[in-house]
Amino acid sequence: MRIQQFYNIADSLVAGKLIGENALAAVGNSYEITLIFLAFSFGCNIGGSVIVSRYFGAKDYNTMKTAVSTALIGTVVLCGALMAVGLLGCRSLLVLIRTPVELMADSAEYLDIYTLGLPFLFLYNVATGIFTALGDSRTPFLFLAGSSTANIAVDVLFVAAFDMGVAGVAWATFLCQGVSCVLSLWVVARRVRAVPSEGERVWFSWKMLGQIAVVAIPSILQQSFVSVGNIIIQSVVNSFGASVIAGFAAATKLNNVLISSLTTLGSGISNYASQNLGAGKNERVKAGFGAGVRLLGSICLCFTALYLLAGRQLLMLFMNSPTGEAINTGLTFLQTIAPFYLLLAFKLTSDGLMRGCGMMGRFMATTLSDLFLRVVLAMLFSRWLGVNGTWLSWPVGWFVGTVLSMVFYRTSIYRQAEEKTTL
Protein backbone atom coordinates (compact mmCIF):
# COMPACT_ATOMS: atom_id res chain seq x y z
CA MET A 1 0.00 0.00 0.00
CA ARG A 2 2.73 2.40 0.89
CA ILE A 3 4.35 2.33 -2.58
CA GLN A 4 1.15 3.57 -4.23
CA GLN A 5 0.86 6.33 -1.64
CA PHE A 6 4.28 7.66 -2.64
CA TYR A 7 3.60 7.19 -6.34
CA ASN A 8 0.43 9.25 -6.04
CA ILE A 9 2.27 11.94 -4.11
CA ALA A 10 4.84 12.12 -6.92
CA ASP A 11 2.06 12.26 -9.52
CA SER A 12 0.37 15.08 -7.63
CA LEU A 13 3.61 17.03 -7.27
CA VAL A 14 4.33 16.96 -10.97
CA ALA A 15 0.71 17.47 -12.02
CA GLY A 16 0.30 20.52 -9.80
CA LYS A 17 3.62 22.14 -10.66
CA LEU A 18 3.99 21.38 -14.36
CA ILE A 19 0.40 21.08 -15.59
CA GLY A 20 -1.79 23.15 -13.29
CA GLU A 21 -4.39 23.30 -10.54
CA ASN A 22 -7.01 21.31 -12.45
CA ALA A 23 -4.53 18.50 -13.11
CA LEU A 24 -3.69 18.35 -9.39
CA ALA A 25 -7.41 18.23 -8.60
CA ALA A 26 -8.01 15.46 -11.19
CA VAL A 27 -5.24 13.24 -9.77
CA GLY A 28 -6.44 13.87 -6.21
CA ASN A 29 -10.04 13.19 -7.15
CA SER A 30 -9.10 9.88 -8.82
CA TYR A 31 -6.99 8.85 -5.85
CA GLU A 32 -10.00 8.37 -3.60
CA ILE A 33 -11.30 5.69 -5.98
CA THR A 34 -7.90 4.00 -6.24
CA LEU A 35 -8.05 3.54 -2.47
CA ILE A 36 -10.65 0.81 -3.03
CA PHE A 37 -8.08 -1.19 -5.00
CA LEU A 38 -5.44 -0.35 -2.41
CA ALA A 39 -7.72 -1.83 0.25
CA PHE A 40 -7.67 -5.20 -1.50
CA SER A 41 -3.91 -5.10 -2.06
CA PHE A 42 -3.36 -4.18 1.59
CA GLY A 43 -5.53 -7.10 2.68
CA CYS A 44 -3.46 -9.47 0.55
CA ASN A 45 -0.30 -8.01 2.08
CA ILE A 46 -1.51 -8.42 5.65
CA GLY A 47 -3.09 -11.83 5.17
CA GLY A 48 0.03 -13.27 3.59
CA SER A 49 2.53 -11.62 5.92
CA VAL A 50 0.78 -12.56 9.17
CA ILE A 51 0.47 -16.25 8.23
CA VAL A 52 4.01 -16.43 6.81
CA SER A 53 5.28 -14.77 10.01
CA ARG A 54 3.54 -17.33 12.16
CA TYR A 55 5.09 -20.34 10.43
CA PHE A 56 8.45 -18.61 10.16
CA GLY A 57 8.39 -17.94 13.92
CA ALA A 58 7.50 -21.59 14.55
CA LYS A 59 10.39 -22.65 12.24
CA ASP A 60 7.98 -24.68 10.10
CA TYR A 61 9.73 -23.59 6.91
CA ASN A 62 8.10 -26.02 4.50
CA THR A 63 4.62 -24.84 5.47
CA MET A 64 5.89 -21.26 5.38
CA LYS A 65 6.87 -21.71 1.74
CA THR A 66 3.42 -23.10 0.95
CA ALA A 67 1.93 -19.97 2.52
CA VAL A 68 4.12 -17.77 0.28
CA SER A 69 3.14 -19.42 -3.00
CA THR A 70 -0.52 -19.74 -2.00
CA ALA A 71 -0.67 -16.02 -1.19
CA LEU A 72 0.83 -15.11 -4.58
CA ILE A 73 -1.50 -17.41 -6.55
CA GLY A 74 -4.59 -16.19 -4.70
CA THR A 75 -3.54 -12.58 -5.28
CA VAL A 76 -3.25 -13.07 -9.06
CA VAL A 77 -6.81 -14.45 -9.28
CA LEU A 78 -8.27 -11.67 -7.14
CA CYS A 79 -6.41 -9.00 -9.09
CA GLY A 80 -7.78 -10.25 -12.41
CA ALA A 81 -11.34 -9.92 -11.17
CA LEU A 82 -10.74 -6.41 -9.84
CA MET A 83 -9.19 -5.26 -13.12
CA ALA A 84 -12.38 -6.19 -14.94
CA VAL A 85 -14.48 -4.32 -12.40
CA GLY A 86 -12.19 -1.29 -12.55
CA LEU A 87 -12.13 -0.95 -16.32
CA LEU A 88 -15.92 -1.25 -16.50
CA GLY A 89 -16.99 0.80 -13.49
CA CYS A 90 -14.54 3.59 -12.66
CA ARG A 91 -16.22 6.22 -14.83
CA SER A 92 -19.54 5.56 -13.12
CA LEU A 93 -17.88 6.12 -9.74
CA LEU A 94 -16.46 9.44 -10.95
CA VAL A 95 -19.97 10.55 -11.84
CA LEU A 96 -21.27 9.27 -8.50
CA ILE A 97 -18.83 11.42 -6.51
CA ARG A 98 -19.88 14.52 -8.44
CA THR A 99 -16.62 15.04 -10.32
CA PRO A 100 -16.70 18.49 -11.95
CA VAL A 101 -17.01 18.45 -15.74
CA GLU A 102 -13.64 20.14 -16.23
CA LEU A 103 -11.91 17.33 -14.31
CA MET A 104 -13.78 14.33 -15.74
CA ALA A 105 -11.61 13.52 -18.79
CA ASP A 106 -8.29 13.66 -16.90
CA SER A 107 -9.67 11.77 -13.89
CA ALA A 108 -11.05 8.98 -16.09
CA GLU A 109 -7.84 8.65 -18.12
CA TYR A 110 -5.72 8.49 -14.97
CA LEU A 111 -7.98 5.79 -13.50
CA ASP A 112 -7.96 3.66 -16.66
CA ILE A 113 -4.16 3.58 -16.80
CA TYR A 114 -3.96 2.98 -13.06
CA THR A 115 -6.27 -0.04 -13.38
CA LEU A 116 -4.03 -1.60 -16.03
CA GLY A 117 -1.19 -1.54 -13.49
CA LEU A 118 -3.08 -3.37 -10.74
CA PRO A 119 -1.12 -6.64 -11.10
CA PHE A 120 2.10 -4.75 -10.33
CA LEU A 121 0.51 -3.07 -7.31
CA PHE A 122 -0.90 -6.29 -5.85
CA LEU A 123 2.12 -8.52 -6.36
CA TYR A 124 4.51 -5.87 -5.09
CA ASN A 125 2.47 -5.49 -1.90
CA VAL A 126 2.43 -9.23 -1.28
CA ALA A 127 6.18 -9.39 -1.89
CA THR A 128 6.87 -6.63 0.64
CA GLY A 129 4.66 -8.43 3.15
CA ILE A 130 6.76 -11.57 2.70
CA PHE A 131 9.97 -9.59 3.21
CA THR A 132 8.76 -8.15 6.51
CA ALA A 133 7.41 -11.56 7.59
CA LEU A 134 10.93 -12.92 7.18
CA GLY A 135 12.30 -10.10 9.32
CA ASP A 136 13.67 -7.98 6.46
CA SER A 137 12.34 -4.42 6.37
CA ARG A 138 15.44 -3.00 4.65
CA THR A 139 14.89 -4.53 1.21
CA PRO A 140 11.32 -3.19 0.76
CA PHE A 141 12.54 0.24 1.86
CA LEU A 142 15.27 0.22 -0.79
CA PHE A 143 12.76 -0.77 -3.47
CA LEU A 144 10.40 1.96 -2.29
CA ALA A 145 13.09 4.65 -2.23
CA GLY A 146 14.43 3.69 -5.65
CA SER A 147 11.07 3.35 -7.38
CA SER A 148 9.65 6.56 -5.87
CA THR A 149 12.68 8.57 -6.93
CA ALA A 150 12.56 7.09 -10.42
CA ASN A 151 8.85 7.82 -10.62
CA ILE A 152 9.40 11.54 -10.08
CA ALA A 153 12.06 11.61 -12.80
CA VAL A 154 9.87 9.72 -15.30
CA ASP A 155 6.87 11.90 -14.37
CA VAL A 156 8.86 15.01 -15.28
CA LEU A 157 10.16 13.40 -18.48
CA PHE A 158 6.71 12.37 -19.71
CA VAL A 159 5.06 15.68 -18.78
CA ALA A 160 7.77 18.26 -19.53
CA ALA A 161 9.56 16.59 -22.45
CA PHE A 162 6.79 14.56 -24.07
CA ASP A 163 3.86 16.83 -23.10
CA MET A 164 1.66 13.87 -22.14
CA GLY A 165 -0.34 15.72 -19.46
CA VAL A 166 -2.11 13.74 -16.72
CA ALA A 167 -1.71 10.56 -18.81
CA GLY A 168 2.05 11.06 -18.54
CA VAL A 169 2.11 10.84 -14.75
CA ALA A 170 -0.16 7.77 -14.90
CA TRP A 171 2.07 5.95 -17.40
CA ALA A 172 5.15 6.87 -15.38
CA THR A 173 3.61 5.21 -12.33
CA PHE A 174 2.67 2.17 -14.43
CA LEU A 175 6.25 1.79 -15.68
CA CYS A 176 8.08 2.35 -12.38
CA GLN A 177 5.66 0.21 -10.42
CA GLY A 178 6.07 -2.61 -12.95
CA VAL A 179 9.87 -2.61 -12.72
CA SER A 180 9.73 -2.51 -8.92
CA CYS A 181 7.25 -5.40 -8.85
CA VAL A 182 9.32 -7.66 -11.09
CA LEU A 183 12.52 -7.00 -9.14
CA SER A 184 10.86 -7.53 -5.76
CA LEU A 185 9.33 -10.85 -6.86
CA TRP A 186 12.70 -12.02 -8.17
CA VAL A 187 14.44 -11.16 -4.90
CA VAL A 188 11.74 -12.66 -2.69
CA ALA A 189 11.80 -15.89 -4.72
CA ARG A 190 15.54 -16.20 -4.14
CA ARG A 191 15.13 -15.39 -0.45
CA VAL A 192 12.42 -18.02 0.08
CA ARG A 193 14.36 -20.69 -1.85
CA ALA A 194 17.37 -20.05 0.40
CA VAL A 195 15.41 -20.98 3.54
CA PRO A 196 16.19 -24.66 4.33
CA SER A 197 13.22 -27.03 4.41
CA GLU A 198 12.57 -30.74 4.30
CA GLY A 199 10.05 -32.77 2.36
CA GLU A 200 8.13 -32.07 -0.80
CA ARG A 201 6.83 -28.52 -1.15
CA VAL A 202 3.11 -27.95 -1.74
CA TRP A 203 2.65 -24.97 -4.07
CA PHE A 204 -1.01 -24.32 -3.37
CA SER A 205 -3.24 -25.30 -0.47
CA TRP A 206 -6.92 -24.51 -0.06
CA LYS A 207 -6.52 -24.89 3.70
CA MET A 208 -3.67 -22.38 3.66
CA LEU A 209 -5.71 -20.02 1.50
CA GLY A 210 -8.43 -20.22 4.15
CA GLN A 211 -5.96 -19.28 6.89
CA ILE A 212 -4.78 -16.30 4.85
CA ALA A 213 -8.37 -15.28 4.10
CA VAL A 214 -9.27 -15.26 7.82
CA VAL A 215 -6.81 -12.38 8.26
CA ALA A 216 -7.06 -10.85 4.79
CA ILE A 217 -10.85 -10.57 4.39
CA PRO A 218 -11.47 -8.51 7.56
CA SER A 219 -8.54 -6.27 6.59
CA ILE A 220 -9.96 -5.88 3.07
CA LEU A 221 -13.42 -5.11 4.43
CA GLN A 222 -12.02 -2.64 6.93
CA GLN A 223 -9.93 -0.83 4.32
CA SER A 224 -12.77 -0.98 1.79
CA PHE A 225 -15.17 0.64 4.24
CA VAL A 226 -12.53 3.31 4.86
CA SER A 227 -12.17 3.82 1.10
CA VAL A 228 -15.91 4.11 0.59
CA GLY A 229 -16.01 6.59 3.45
CA ASN A 230 -13.23 8.60 1.83
CA ILE A 231 -15.16 8.61 -1.45
CA ILE A 232 -18.22 9.99 0.34
CA ILE A 233 -16.07 12.68 1.94
CA GLN A 234 -14.51 13.41 -1.46
CA SER A 235 -18.00 13.90 -2.90
CA VAL A 236 -18.68 16.45 -0.14
CA VAL A 237 -15.43 18.27 -0.97
CA ASN A 238 -16.17 18.13 -4.72
CA SER A 239 -19.29 20.22 -4.22
CA PHE A 240 -17.09 23.20 -3.32
CA GLY A 241 -15.29 23.39 -6.69
CA ALA A 242 -11.94 22.67 -8.34
CA SER A 243 -9.81 25.00 -6.18
CA VAL A 244 -11.00 23.38 -2.95
CA ILE A 245 -10.46 19.93 -4.51
CA ALA A 246 -6.88 20.90 -5.43
CA GLY A 247 -6.13 22.20 -1.93
CA PHE A 248 -7.62 19.12 -0.31
CA ALA A 249 -5.67 16.87 -2.70
CA ALA A 250 -2.34 18.51 -1.80
CA ALA A 251 -3.00 18.45 1.95
CA THR A 252 -4.21 14.85 1.78
CA LYS A 253 -0.93 13.82 0.16
CA LEU A 254 1.03 15.38 3.02
CA ASN A 255 -1.27 13.73 5.56
CA ASN A 256 -0.84 10.40 3.80
CA VAL A 257 2.94 10.57 4.14
CA LEU A 258 2.40 10.17 7.88
CA ILE A 259 -0.51 7.72 7.62
CA SER A 260 1.42 5.52 5.18
CA SER A 261 4.45 5.47 7.49
CA LEU A 262 2.35 4.58 10.51
CA THR A 263 0.40 1.93 8.60
CA THR A 264 3.64 0.31 7.46
CA LEU A 265 4.95 0.24 11.03
CA GLY A 266 1.58 -1.11 12.17
CA SER A 267 1.99 -3.99 9.71
CA GLY A 268 5.42 -4.64 11.20
CA ILE A 269 3.87 -4.75 14.67
CA SER A 270 1.34 -7.31 13.39
CA ASN A 271 4.15 -9.49 12.06
CA TYR A 272 6.05 -9.07 15.33
CA ALA A 273 3.04 -10.26 17.32
CA SER A 274 2.38 -13.16 14.97
CA GLN A 275 6.01 -14.35 15.00
CA ASN A 276 6.10 -14.33 18.80
CA LEU A 277 2.82 -16.23 18.98
CA GLY A 278 4.27 -18.82 16.63
CA ALA A 279 7.35 -19.09 18.84
CA GLY A 280 5.22 -19.33 22.02
CA LYS A 281 6.58 -16.05 23.47
CA ASN A 282 3.30 -14.44 24.39
CA GLU A 283 4.81 -12.10 26.97
CA ARG A 284 6.74 -10.29 24.23
CA VAL A 285 3.47 -9.25 22.60
CA LYS A 286 2.68 -7.04 25.59
CA ALA A 287 6.20 -5.59 25.54
CA GLY A 288 5.70 -4.63 21.91
CA PHE A 289 2.98 -2.14 22.84
CA GLY A 290 5.27 0.24 24.70
CA ALA A 291 7.95 0.08 22.03
CA GLY A 292 5.38 0.64 19.28
CA VAL A 293 3.81 3.68 20.97
CA ARG A 294 7.21 5.27 21.57
CA LEU A 295 8.27 4.76 17.96
CA LEU A 296 5.00 5.84 16.35
CA GLY A 297 4.53 8.66 18.86
CA SER A 298 7.90 10.22 18.10
CA ILE A 299 7.06 10.17 14.38
CA CYS A 300 3.64 11.73 15.02
CA LEU A 301 5.11 14.57 17.08
CA CYS A 302 7.68 15.34 14.38
CA PHE A 303 4.99 15.53 11.70
CA THR A 304 2.75 17.65 13.92
CA ALA A 305 5.51 20.22 14.37
CA LEU A 306 6.44 20.09 10.68
CA TYR A 307 2.92 20.66 9.38
CA LEU A 308 2.05 23.38 11.89
CA LEU A 309 5.27 25.31 11.32
CA ALA A 310 5.90 24.71 7.61
CA GLY A 311 2.54 23.66 6.20
CA ARG A 312 2.31 26.48 3.67
CA GLN A 313 5.82 25.84 2.35
CA LEU A 314 5.13 22.13 1.98
CA LEU A 315 1.86 22.75 0.16
CA MET A 316 3.76 24.98 -2.25
CA LEU A 317 5.52 21.83 -3.49
CA PHE A 318 2.23 21.01 -5.22
CA MET A 319 1.19 24.50 -6.27
CA ASN A 320 2.58 27.58 -7.98
CA SER A 321 0.77 30.32 -6.04
CA PRO A 322 1.32 30.94 -2.28
CA THR A 323 -2.13 32.51 -1.96
CA GLY A 324 -5.66 31.72 -3.05
CA GLU A 325 -8.45 29.33 -2.14
CA ALA A 326 -6.50 26.14 -2.89
CA ILE A 327 -3.54 26.90 -0.63
CA ASN A 328 -5.78 28.21 2.17
CA THR A 329 -7.96 25.09 2.00
CA GLY A 330 -4.95 22.79 2.32
CA LEU A 331 -3.42 24.82 5.16
CA THR A 332 -6.64 24.86 7.17
CA PHE A 333 -6.96 21.08 6.77
CA LEU A 334 -3.42 20.48 8.09
CA GLN A 335 -3.79 22.94 10.97
CA THR A 336 -7.03 21.25 12.03
CA ILE A 337 -5.85 17.63 12.11
CA ALA A 338 -2.09 17.80 12.84
CA PRO A 339 -2.47 18.55 16.60
CA PHE A 340 -4.26 15.21 16.99
CA TYR A 341 -1.70 12.97 15.27
CA LEU A 342 -0.45 11.55 18.58
CA LEU A 343 -3.76 9.69 18.99
CA LEU A 344 -2.78 7.57 15.99
CA ALA A 345 0.32 6.23 17.75
CA PHE A 346 -1.82 4.53 20.39
CA LYS A 347 -4.53 3.42 17.98
CA LEU A 348 -2.32 1.92 15.27
CA THR A 349 -0.05 0.14 17.77
CA SER A 350 -3.04 -1.51 19.44
CA ASP A 351 -4.61 -2.27 16.06
CA GLY A 352 -1.38 -3.88 14.86
CA LEU A 353 -1.20 -6.14 17.90
CA MET A 354 -4.85 -7.16 17.58
CA ARG A 355 -4.41 -7.99 13.91
CA GLY A 356 -1.26 -10.03 14.58
CA CYS A 357 -3.06 -11.95 17.32
CA GLY A 358 -6.00 -12.72 15.04
CA MET A 359 -8.49 -10.51 16.89
CA MET A 360 -10.01 -9.24 13.67
CA GLY A 361 -13.47 -8.45 15.05
CA ARG A 362 -12.08 -6.00 17.59
CA PHE A 363 -9.70 -4.57 15.00
CA MET A 364 -12.57 -3.84 12.61
CA ALA A 365 -14.70 -2.31 15.36
CA THR A 366 -12.12 0.36 16.16
CA THR A 367 -11.67 1.37 12.53
CA LEU A 368 -15.34 1.34 11.57
CA SER A 369 -16.32 3.50 14.52
CA ASP A 370 -13.72 6.05 13.44
CA LEU A 371 -14.91 5.90 9.84
CA PHE A 372 -18.61 6.15 10.66
CA LEU A 373 -18.11 9.26 12.73
CA ARG A 374 -15.86 10.88 10.15
CA VAL A 375 -18.33 10.36 7.30
CA VAL A 376 -21.43 11.40 9.23
CA LEU A 377 -19.79 14.42 10.85
CA ALA A 378 -18.15 15.52 7.60
CA MET A 379 -21.58 15.68 5.97
CA LEU A 380 -23.16 17.49 8.93
CA PHE A 381 -20.32 19.91 9.66
CA SER A 382 -19.98 20.87 5.98
CA ARG A 383 -23.63 22.00 5.99
CA TRP A 384 -23.27 24.02 9.18
CA LEU A 385 -19.72 25.39 8.85
CA GLY A 386 -18.87 25.09 5.16
CA VAL A 387 -15.92 23.15 3.81
CA ASN A 388 -13.73 23.89 6.86
CA GLY A 389 -16.26 22.08 9.03
CA THR A 390 -15.48 18.89 7.10
CA TRP A 391 -11.97 18.74 8.56
CA LEU A 392 -13.27 18.66 12.16
CA SER A 393 -14.58 15.13 11.62
CA TRP A 394 -11.04 13.70 11.54
CA PRO A 395 -10.06 14.45 15.20
CA VAL A 396 -13.43 13.24 16.53
CA GLY A 397 -13.20 9.94 14.64
CA TRP A 398 -9.59 9.37 15.67
CA PHE A 399 -10.40 10.02 19.34
CA VAL A 400 -13.28 7.53 19.51
CA GLY A 401 -11.32 4.89 17.56
CA THR A 402 -8.31 5.31 19.86
CA VAL A 403 -10.39 4.93 23.02
CA LEU A 404 -11.96 1.72 21.70
CA SER A 405 -8.62 0.34 20.58
CA MET A 406 -7.05 0.97 23.99
CA VAL A 407 -10.00 -0.66 25.77
CA PHE A 408 -9.66 -3.76 23.60
CA TYR A 409 -5.92 -3.87 24.20
CA ARG A 410 -6.27 -3.69 27.97
CA THR A 411 -9.11 -6.21 28.15
CA SER A 412 -7.74 -8.80 25.73
CA ILE A 413 -4.12 -8.70 24.58
CA TYR A 414 -2.62 -7.19 27.74
CA ARG A 415 -4.54 -9.42 30.13
CA GLN A 416 -3.85 -12.63 28.24
CA ALA A 417 -0.18 -11.83 27.77
CA GLU A 418 0.05 -10.98 31.48
CA GLU A 419 -1.37 -14.37 32.33
CA LYS A 420 0.87 -16.04 29.67
CA THR A 421 -2.04 -17.89 28.15
CA THR A 422 -2.47 -18.71 24.48
CA LEU A 423 -3.84 -15.76 22.56
Side-chain angles (χ1 to χ4, degrees):
M1 188 171 184
R2 59 191 169 180
I3 188 170
Q4 186 58 43
Q5 299 272 17
F6 284 102
Y7 281 148
N8 193 265
I9 290 171
D11 290 349
S12 298
L13 279 168
V14 175
K17 278 291 187 180
L18 299 184
I19 306 175
E21 190 174 281
N22 278 4
L24 171 60
V27 173
N29 181 60
S30 303
Y31 176 64
E32 299 305 332
I33 295 177
T34 69
L35 287 177
I36 296 177
F37 299 119
L38 285 171
F40 281 86
S41 70
F42 180 71
C44 293
N45 172 297
I46 290 297
S49 65
V50 166
I51 300 304
V52 171
S53 293
R54 191 157 300 172
Y55 288 111
F56 185 71
K59 301 186 185 304
D60 186 353
Y61 299 133
N62 204 41
T63 306
M64 181 269 291
K65 291 183 178 183
T66 299
V68 169
S69 55
T70 299
L72 289 170
I73 293 170
T75 297
V76 170
V77 175
L78 176 62
C79 182
L82 288 174
M83 284 184 71
V85 173
L87 292 172
L88 293 173
C90 281
R91 290 174 185 266
S92 298
L93 280 174
L94 287 171
V95 173
L96 187 63
I97 64 173
R98 298 185 287 184
T99 301
V101 174
E102 64 270 26
L103 305 182
M104 180 61 76
D106 282 341
S107 293
E109 188 171 26
Y110 185 87
L111 274 177
D112 285 342
I113 298 170
Y114 171 90
T115 304
L116 293 175
L118 285 182
F120 301 141
L121 169 67
F122 274 65
L123 290 173
Y124 173 86
N125 271 289
V126 174
T128 58
I130 294 169
F131 279 125
T132 54
L134 299 179
D136 178 12
S137 58
R138 180 174 177 271
T139 299
F141 172 77
L142 293 176
F143 277 122
L144 176 62
S147 60
S148 299
T149 303
N151 189 49
I152 294 176
V154 180
D155 274 343
V156 173
L157 175 66
F158 285 1
V159 172
F162 298 159
D163 195 25
M164 295 173 64
V166 170
V169 297
W171 282 118
T173 294
F174 178 93
L175 177 63
C176 294
Q177 192 168 252
V179 172
S180 182
C181 171
V182 171
L183 289 176
S184 63
L185 288 175
W186 176 67
V187 174
V188 84
R190 294 187 59 187
R191 191 71 54 83
V192 170
R193 275 201 305 267
V195 176
S197 60
E198 298 179 355
E200 184 179 354
R201 177 178 175 180
V202 177
W203 287 91
F204 180 82
S205 166
W206 286 104
K207 181 180 179 181
M208 183 64 67
L209 184 62
Q211 292 181 34
I212 294 171
V214 166
V215 179
I217 290 177
S219 294
I220 289 172
L221 291 175
Q222 176 254 340
Q223 287 293 324
S224 296
F225 292 147
V226 170
S227 299
V228 171
N230 286 335
I231 287 175
I232 296 173
I233 293 174
Q234 182 70 49
S235 71
V236 173
V237 174
N238 285 357
S239 65
F240 291 93
S243 294
V244 171
I245 298 172
F248 178 61
T252 299
K253 299 305 174 292
L254 294 176
N255 180 58
N256 283 343
V257 172
L258 172 65
I259 301 301
S260 177
S261 302
L262 298 182
T263 301
T264 299
L265 291 171
S267 299
I269 291 170
S270 295
N271 292 332
Y272 166 86
S274 187
Q275 281 185 5
N276 281 288
L277 285 179
K281 300 177 180 179
N282 293 359
E283 68 281 357
R284 295 193 64 191
V285 176
K286 184 184 72 172
F289 177 80
V293 168
R294 287 191 294 272
L295 175 60
L296 271 64
S298 62
I299 295 172
C300 289
L301 291 175
C302 289
F303 274 87
T304 296
L306 180 65
Y307 289 166
L308 291 180
L309 297 175
R312 184 177 295 273
Q313 290 76 12
L314 292 169
L315 288 169
M316 282 300 299
L317 295 173
F318 299 87
M319 304 177 192
N320 292 316
S321 173
T323 59
E325 188 175 19
I327 195 80
N328 290 334
T329 295
L331 190 58
T332 302
F333 175 80
L334 290 177
Q335 291 173 342
T336 302
I337 68 171
F340 299 92
Y341 278 154
L342 189 59
L343 290 171
L344 297 176
F346 292 90
K347 182 181 186 304
L348 294 182
T349 299
S350 300
D351 286 354
L353 291 174
M354 284 190 286
R355 191 166 50 208
C357 294
M359 299 177 179
M360 302 307 295
R362 296 178 179 87
F363 166 70
M364 289 185 66
T366 62
T367 302
L368 294 182
S369 63
D370 167 15
L371 171 65
F372 177 78
L373 281 173
R374 259 193 290 162
V375 171
V376 172
L377 293 179
M379 297 173 70
L380 292 176
F381 289 168
S382 67
R383 294 178 183 176
W384 300 336
L385 304 172
V387 69
N388 291 335
T390 308
W391 321 142
L392 295 174
S393 63
W394 265 261
V396 177
W398 287 347
F399 176 78
V400 173
T402 300
V403 170
L404 275 178
S405 190
M406 290 300 300
V407 168
F408 288 145
Y409 168 73
R410 292 291 300 185
T411 57
S412 54
I413 299 173
Y414 183 93
R415 180 179 298 173
Q416 292 185 40
E418 185 80 8
E419 297 171 357
K420 296 185 179 181
T421 58
T422 301
L423 297 177

